[in-house]
Amino acid sequence: MTKQFNDRFIKACRGEQTDYVPVWYMRQAGRYQPEYREIRSKYTFFEVNHQPEVAAEVTRLPVEQLGVDAAILFADIMTPLPSLGIQVDIESGIGPVIDNPIKNEEDIDKLGILQPEKDVPYIMETIQLLREQLNVPLIGFGGAPFTLASYMIEGGPSKNYNKTKAFMHSDPKVWGKLMDKLADMTVAYLSAQIDAGAQAIQVFDSWVGALSKEDYAKYIKPVMHRVFEQLKGKGVPLIMFGVGASHLIKEWNELPVDVLGLDWRLSVKEAREMGVTKTLQGNLDPALLLAPWSEIEKKATEILNEGMEQPGFIFNLGHGLFPQVKVETVQRLTEFVHEYSFKNRK
Ligand code: 1CP
């Protein structure tokens, strides 16, 4: 018998009351799971990504193992970039590495246009498969223009985004051209995911917190506004997330999105005090998952108490799960979030 569909995550995205607080984790599929490591010993990252059956299996792992209330498509924010002519490899212990970083306007003019059906058909196939297999909502996702540009310009992960910021400030017109191209790609990619069956979308602007509020408002906010405005008509909840971006939270609150994902630097209560009205998602520091259970429980309780002040809260980490975390710890946390929020519901 198939289990009844669990729609708590979607309800919470829409700011509706749920009997318990739904939970999922960023990077809930990954190296902390022995099953994931086993699959990755046979295939490269992109080999997993490109095979719908395998990608769907990896996506389902945390749903079956942890009992989370949402699944997130197994892919990467880099997945669509090769179709634009950007050569990406995922290197173990590093992350995405790009052989031909963007240096000038000519490189931007050469970028291709993403045609999802032709370029990334495996993404849509994976989504369709998962919709038959899952009884929780499936989250589709993509990288935001700034974060994608940071990899494309730096050539890989960066600490300070110096080249990216220098590019932006040196020639704002050319920068705008790059943002527009990446925004068009993001809209096409995420629209195709929704059409294939993704039931919510999270946009990762992971590294945009490197910018000042002024620069964000001038160079990034208009393009993010356009991306979300174009996706809004598709009718699925939209989630915005970034790391170290507490100073941008009021700007985000003005974007046409449903949910804001917080990292651990700003509490739910502080965000509310700053005037943030949207549904919130977050925000346990993933490093705490290596601390004794009593500390994890204390902090999770505090987050839940603050989150449940308003209907519609989604429990998550402040950033992705990392390889050293034990599966049992994440299982216990998931159970705790469900039980505590059920007992203390309003
Ligand atoms: O095979 C491996 O174990 C490599 C590790 C890994 C994984 C598991 C990478 C390389 N990507 C992924 C999958 C992934 N990436 C998901 C899948 C689903 C899930 O969450 O379970 C998602 C949503 C992402 C998104 C992603 N990739 C982001 C945004 C989220 C974030 O961490 O802020 C970013 C910045 C990336 C780039 C990337 N890809 C991989 C790594 C290690 C990184 C980060 C590198 C860096 O620090 O810049």
Side-chain angles (χ1 to χ4, degrees), residues 200-219:
I201 290 292
Q202 178 152 318
V203 173
F204 288 93
D205 211 350
S206 300
W207 316 131
V208 79
L211 296 182
S212 70
K213 205 165 121 180
E214 290 70 25
D215 286 344
Y216 184 82
K218 187 169 166 191
Y219 296 109

Side-chain angles (χ1 to χ4, degrees), residues 26-31 36 40 45 72-77 90 94-96 141 151 157 204 206-207 241 243 319:
M26 289 184 277
R27 292 276 168 84
Q28 62 188 17
R31 290 197 173 270
Y36 178 86
R40 280 282 280 105
F45 182 89
I72 181 159
L73 175 72
F74 189 80
D76 194 79
I77 61 168
I90 303 277
I94 303 176
F141 75 93
Y151 287 99
F204 288 93
S206 300
W207 316 131
F241 172 77
V243 186
H319 201 187

Side-chain angles (χ1 to χ4, degrees), residues 77 198 211 250 254 258 271 286 298 322 327:
I77 61 168
L211 296 182
K250 283 173 88 172
E254 290 168 8
D258 303 277
K298 198 165 90 189
F322 49 83
V327 172

Side-chain angles (χ1 to χ4, degrees), residues 222-243:
V223 88
M224 293 309 292
H225 201 278
R226 173 162 81 82
V227 167
F228 288 122
E229 202 54 59
Q230 287 181 268
L231 292 172
K232 213 172 111 187
K234 293 267 176 190
V236 308
L238 304 173
I239 310 169
M240 172 73 207
F241 172 77
V243 186

